[in-house]
Amino acid sequence: MVILVTNDDGIHATGIKALSLALTAIGKVVVVAPEKERSAIGHGITMHKPLRVTEVPWEEPIGKGLAINGTPADCVKLALDALLDEPAAMVVSGINRGENLGTDVLYSGTVSGAIEGCINGLPSLAVSLVGEEEFDFTFAASFTARLAREILNRGLPQGTLLNVNVPHLPEAEIKGIAITRLGRRRYINTVSGRKDPRGRAYYWLAGEKEDLDQGPDTDIGALRCGFISLTPLQLDLTHYAFQEELRSYLPGLWPVHGNK
């Protein structure tokens, strides 16, 4: 049984090394990850240059990882369609160095790696460790292995993946596991404008987090209370409840034929 592991922090990140080794307890692990950090790349794929594969030494029993000059979604696509010797049973993306909460999932390369697995019909997890510095991935990796074993035994609904955020706390201080929904977050003061030595303008994108919905049932709220957050995400973004109201717009848009 093959477990495909990827990330967006790059193949040399500490988080993917801890994760991949923990997952060897439940299956054969294949590591295919970006050759360098691709954080906040979202679900971008590479279409205008060739993708190249470079072998990277890895601890046993894995032996080697495969570095790709592309995005997390590229890594999963390439692995599933061309690189694996046998079909994958699961995709696990992470462990990200920092949180992926609320609307962060729309930007996250970590989450996009799991989304690509989900698109291909595989149970998929995106895992992040929520902290700021001196990350120790040991507990998050062991927890992910236990979760992956459970998911392999029980499955996930078609078109659904799990977004997992683990607080960077001693295991004894973690309150438990919360099943959550996405909170709502935006970034303010996102653009920092500067001038280069020739007087030309350039910009850095950064920003400060502003949490607009951090209720106790959200992933943001759960992490702030010391819980591991498990948020089921689905590929279908359709707003079904609005479909009927949207239908009422049609007479003004298509007065001759109306709604078909």
Side-chain angles (χ1 to χ4, degrees):
M1 178 178 62
V2 171
I3 301 171
L4 175 61
V5 175
T6 194
N7 74 349
D8 75 352
D9 287 334
I11 197 162
H12 300 291
T14 306
I16 196 171
K17 293 177 180 177
L19 173 64
S20 61
L21 292 173
L23 290 172
T24 59
I26 61 175
K28 176 183 176 182
V29 174
V30 177
V31 177
V32 184
E35 65 181 6
K36 61 183 180 180
E37 183 175 348
R38 300 306 301 269
S39 296
I41 195 69
H43 205 85
I45 58 174
T46 301
M47 300 181 66
H48 303 294
K49 68 176 182 180
L51 293 172
R52 303 191 185 277
V53 183
T54 304
E55 288 191 7
V56 175
W58 214 263
E59 287 188 47
E60 296 296 340
I62 298 172
K64 68 177 180 181
L66 300 176
I68 310 296
N69 62 325
T71 69
D74 288 333
C75 293
V76 176
K77 280 181 175 291
L78 198 59
L80 297 180
D81 291 345
L83 301 179
L84 297 182
D85 296 329
E86 54 186 293
M90 167 178 274
V91 173
V92 185
S93 185
I95 297 169
N96 191 63
R97 189 176 183 274
E99 63 199 43
N100 277 302
L101 299 169
T103 42
D104 287 343
V105 301
L106 300 174
Y107 304 106
S108 169
T110 304
V111 176
S112 80
I115 288 174
E116 190 61 39
C118 187
I119 289 171
N120 283 275
L122 298 175
S124 300
L125 312 175
V127 187
S128 302
L129 183 59
V130 182
E132 294 184 357
E133 56 186 30
E134 296 185 11
F135 285 82
D136 181 347
F137 293 92
T138 306
F139 171 74
S142 65
F143 173 79
T144 302
R146 295 198 302 273
L147 176 61
R149 188 192 299 275
E150 192 71 15
I151 296 304
L152 285 167
N153 288 337
R154 300 171 66 94
L156 290 172
Q158 192 70 21
T160 301
L161 62 139
L162 284 185
N163 187 41
V164 183
N165 282 274
V166 180
H168 191 228
L169 295 171
E171 182 177 356
E173 295 180 20
I174 294 177
K175 301 290 182 61
I177 302 170
I179 308 303
T180 57
R181 62 179 175 87
L182 290 178
R184 193 158 61 92
R185 157 179 291 179
R186 67 174 180 175
Y187 288 82
I188 57 175
N189 302 322
T190 56
V191 177
S192 175
R194 303 181 187 180
K195 298 281 188 180
D196 70 16
R198 297 187 179 182
R200 294 174 299 187
Y202 69 96
Y203 303 91
W204 282 103
L205 294 181
E208 306 161 17
K209 297 167 190 157
E210 182 181 35
D211 291 328
L212 305 174
D213 181 1
Q214 51 182 309
D217 61 337
T218 68
D219 51 0
I220 299 170
L223 264 294
R224 290 192 172 180
C225 292
F227 287 86
I228 297 169
S229 167
L230 302 185
T231 309
L233 307 179
Q234 57 186 0
L235 299 180
D236 186 352
L237 300 179
T238 308
H239 190 333
Y240 289 100
F242 183 60
Q243 283 182 313
E244 195 56 40
E245 183 178 345
L246 181 58
R247 203 177 304 279
S248 70
Y249 293 23
L250 297 184
L253 300 173
W254 201 254
V256 176
H257 299 292
N259 180 24
K260 292 187 177 181

